[in-house]
Amino acid sequence: MDNSLYAAVDLGSNSFHMVIAHLSEGRFRIVDRIKERVRLAEGMDEQKRMSPEAMERGLACLSLFAERLTNIKPDQIRIAGTYTLRRASNAREFVSEAAKVLNHPIEIISGQEEARLIYQGVAHTQHIEGQVLVVDVGGGSTELIIGEGFDHKALTSRKMGCVSFTQSFFASGKLSEKNFSNAVLEAQHQLAPIVNQYRKLGWQSCLGSSGSIRTVRDVLQGEGLTDGSITLEGLERLKALMIERKRVDNLKLVGLTEERQEVFAAAVAILLGLFTSLPIERLDYSDGALREGLLYEFEERLQHHDIRERTAQALGTHYRMDKKQAARVEQSVLTLFDALQEPWQMEVDPYRAILGWAARLHEIGLAINYSGIHRHSAYILQHTDLPGFNQDDQALLAALVRFQRKGLKLSELPSLPNHDIQTVLRCIRILRLAVAAHHRRQDDLLPEWRVSVQGDQLVVTLPIDWCEENRLLMQNLEKEHRYCQEQGWPLLFQLA
């Protein structure tokens, strides 16, 4: 395998994209791009089920991608699913089959996380001065971000995309003033909740990063309607030209490819809604997008600037957590994980890091109250936008925190298809032990951890003198012993 190659795959609602990059001296250079139109969102029924035909097209595309990924290390590949895989009721079925084809797990990311990664893709590939508005019109959703440099100031993902709008407003293939007006009105409705915030923040320039935007730019330029930028006047003239052609089948426009023809009217309508609502004066095109953002996340992590670490720090500050207690529990869980990782055959990535963040944030629910803190903490972590975390890792983080104390009702453990359930349960055991051991909230109270395993039994060896001096804390540890015993998790405290 080539250790210098990295891959990012974007499973969009209209197209699947893959970029391959070579890492040299800490910087990425893209060496290959592959794009296939799969129309994953096409034919979704009222129960939000993807059609068998769409899923088959997607899996066929991924079988091609799999060939290209064979010589790249698994931990240097990221595969992200977006709007359709967030929304579809049978997404897990597709993701499970896709993971088998690719021999790699697929991350389903939230709309906020998609917007953040899009901005990172643009910011790392485009020179930006001052505040910029970045727009990405996808197949199922549209992301809008205001940022400066590499930092975003506002993120949103709106439920409007060129595939979904085609099905809603242009399914008949007819191009009329009424169809365009209805589509633009719906786009304006979707944008209404964020218009005031975005206008107040403002921007000095505006960039579009999707294939739909690139196509609109190419057509406007090819038909002589603009000088290469997208403007409201150009869009209005283009709409009039399209209405003259009457039907999608008749759209033979310079710069319009056959694969984009079917969804082109919807893209124009969404842009008209954006230009009139925000408003936008001029929109230029940027090559950077979600897949480039995924790549540059690798670079951040290689330089130890993991966005997830900043997210955890920000949460702790926002909820005014006891940083000393968080640090005590975090240090203990990491010590325990390192001691037990080999005998329990636990993968280091991603479990060590997520377990550490769970320890640091386990008391976040105190912002609500102490009673039921484990449930409150889990709720906050599950329902807060956590930049850098995909949906599966966020669910794991919340699950670890949920089972930190009290009786174990593992029937409430959420489905975690991309995680090894045995490792998850062992991480829960580690966190519970650390939380119980630090019940007195004191520095330098615990002796050095001496732990061993005999099969699934966890043995903790404690100095007998220390146990005599800390009988109240030992009662707490004995209580944890009983909880584990009820669950069938053997935990033995051995005196030495």
Side-chain angles (χ1 to χ4, degrees):
M1 290 190 177
D2 189 338
N3 292 337
S4 69
L5 290 181
Y6 289 73
V9 182
D10 165 12
L11 307 183
S13 301
N14 190 46
S15 301
F16 287 0
H17 297 259
M18 179 166 67
V19 293
I20 310 293
H22 172 73
L23 180 66
S24 177
E25 297 180 355
R27 302 297 296 175
F28 283 115
R29 178 168 57 87
I30 293 176
V31 295
D32 197 9
R33 293 182 185 269
I34 304 172
K35 171 194 167 187
E36 292 286 332
R37 183 177 177 234
V38 297
R39 309 188 309 282
L40 194 63
E42 189 176 278
M44 186 178 286
D45 62 22
E46 292 181 357
Q47 284 72 46
K48 297 182 180 179
R49 291 183 60 84
M50 293 180 287
S51 71
E53 296 79 12
M55 293 171 70
E56 187 176 336
R57 289 193 299 269
L59 293 174
C61 170
L62 294 180
S63 69
L64 296 176
F65 284 11
E67 291 182 25
R68 187 65 181 85
L69 295 173
T70 53
N71 69 324
I72 302 176
K73 291 176 64 177
D75 60 355
Q76 292 174 191
I77 299 170
R78 287 193 70 185
I79 304 168
T82 57
Y83 180 77
T84 295
L85 293 178
R86 289 195 293 269
R87 179 171 176 257
S89 59
N90 58 342
R92 286 296 177 192
E93 178 185 338
F94 176 81
V95 166
S96 176
E97 291 301 312
K100 293 175 186 176
V101 171
L102 293 164
N103 196 29
H104 196 280
I106 294 165
E107 309 173 35
I108 300 176
I109 58 175
S110 68
Q112 291 285 101
E113 179 67 358
E114 183 179 359
R116 186 188 69 82
L117 287 166
I118 288 167
Y119 183 74
Q120 289 302 311
V122 173
H124 279 89
T125 56
Q126 190 89 14
H127 177 66
I128 294 173
E129 291 185 1
Q131 288 196 173
V132 61
L133 170 66
V134 172
V135 178
D136 188 295
V137 179
S141 62
T142 293
E143 282 67 48
L144 298 102
I145 312 97
I146 293 178
E148 185 171 2
F150 296 115
D151 298 321
H152 62 266
K153 298 180 182 296
L155 301 168
T156 190
S157 179
R158 315 311 300 174
K159 295 178 181 179
M160 53 185 194
C162 57
V163 174
S164 56
F165 265 45
T166 296
Q167 293 175 332
S168 297
F169 303 105
F170 301 100
S172 67
K174 185 179 180 182
L175 299 171
S176 66
E177 183 67 48
K178 181 180 179 181
N179 287 352
F180 269 104
S181 294
N182 288 340
V184 172
L185 187 63
E186 176 60 21
Q188 292 170 334
H189 173 72
Q190 291 289 338
L191 292 165
I194 58 97
V195 165
N196 287 340
Q197 177 196 8
Y198 275 57
R199 286 179 177 174
K200 185 176 181 180
L201 281 172
W203 55 87
Q204 282 74 56
S205 59
C206 185
L207 294 170
S209 64
S210 63
S212 295
I213 289 175
R214 183 186 64 242
T215 301
V216 172
R217 179 206 64 179
D218 291 346
V219 171
L220 287 170
Q221 189 171 21
E223 292 290 333
L225 300 177
T226 69
D227 62 358
S229 296
I230 301 175
T231 64
L232 180 57
E233 180 185 1
L235 289 170
E236 292 285 6
R237 293 171 66 188
L238 178 56
K239 183 188 80 169
L241 180 61
M242 295 168 70
I243 291 173
E244 286 179 13
R245 305 291 169 90
K246 295 185 178 180
R247 296 194 59 80
V248 171
D249 296 343
N250 299 329
L251 285 180
K252 307 302 179 186
L253 302 170
V254 179
L256 179 60
T257 61
E258 184 177 345
E259 69 172 31
R260 287 281 175 184
Q261 184 172 332
E262 185 180 354
V263 298
F264 186 65
V268 172
I270 290 170
L271 285 171
L272 281 165
L274 286 161
F275 269 71
T276 52
S277 291
L278 288 174
I280 298 170
E281 295 180 3
R282 173 190 178 105
L283 177 65
D284 292 305
Y285 176 69
S286 167
D287 281 327
L290 171 62
R291 45 225 172 253
E292 286 78 16
L294 288 167
L295 274 181
Y296 285 100
E297 286 280 285
F298 280 123
E299 182 180 312
E300 289 281 299
R301 293 180 187 181
L302 286 169
Q303 296 173 357
H304 307 290
H305 298 150
D306 194 330
I307 181 65
R308 296 172 298 176
E309 177 66 21
R310 296 201 295 271
T311 295
Q313 290 177 357
L315 278 174
T317 300
H318 178 77
Y319 285 96
R320 299 179 180 178
M321 293 179 60
D322 182 342
K323 292 183 180 180
K324 288 186 177 181
Q325 178 68 357
R328 293 181 195 109
V329 178
E330 182 179 13
Q331 181 179 6
S332 288
V333 298
L334 295 180
T335 300
L336 287 166
F337 184 93
D338 291 341
L340 298 170
Q341 181 262 323
E342 186 173 341
W344 265 353
Q345 297 181 326
M346 297 183 290
E347 292 287 338
V348 173
D349 186 31
Y351 298 105
R352 188 181 191 275
I354 293 178
L355 180 58
W357 291 317
R360 194 186 310 175
L361 299 170
H362 77 283
E363 289 190 332
I364 199 169
L366 279 175
I368 299 174
N369 60 43
Y370 179 74
S371 178
I373 180 178
H374 49 305
R375 294 181 181 274
H376 301 324
S377 295
Y379 183 87
I380 291 171
L381 292 173
Q382 184 63 58
H383 297 282
T384 300
D385 285 317
L386 302 182
F389 288 87
N390 62 55
Q391 289 187 349
D392 280 333
D393 287 351
Q394 184 169 354
L396 172 59
L397 179 67
L400 294 177
V401 168
R402 162 66 181 83
F403 295 102
Q404 64 176 280
R405 64 194 288 269
K406 298 288 188 180
L408 286 149
K409 297 181 180 179
L410 292 181
S411 60
E412 299 177 8
L413 186 70
S415 174
L416 299 165
N418 282 340
H419 292 290
D420 176 64
I421 190 62
Q422 186 178 62
T423 300
V424 170
L425 295 177
R426 286 173 170 173
C427 285
I428 289 172
R429 295 175 69 177
I430 290 171
L431 178 60
R432 291 178 64 92
L433 179 57
V435 169
H438 286 285
H439 186 70
R440 286 179 58 182
R441 312 177 79 88
Q442 287 181 230
D443 289 331
D444 304 320
L445 177 64
L446 294 181
E448 183 178 346
W449 285 107
R450 292 171 59 193
V451 295
S452 61
V453 295
Q454 299 170 7
D456 200 40
Q457 178 174 257
L458 176 58
V459 180
V460 181
T461 302
L462 297 170
I464 190 168
D465 292 345
W466 181 88
C467 296
E468 287 293 327
E469 293 170 2
N470 293 277
R471 286 181 293 174
L472 189 61
L473 181 53
M474 284 304 299
Q475 285 184 9
N476 204 56
L477 291 173
E478 286 297 328
K479 186 185 297 184
E480 176 59 20
H481 165 77
R482 291 194 295 273
Y483 283 134
C484 289
Q485 194 172 37
E486 290 170 4
Q487 182 57 40
W489 290 349
L491 172 62
L492 176 64
F493 291 104
Q494 182 174 278
L495 305 184

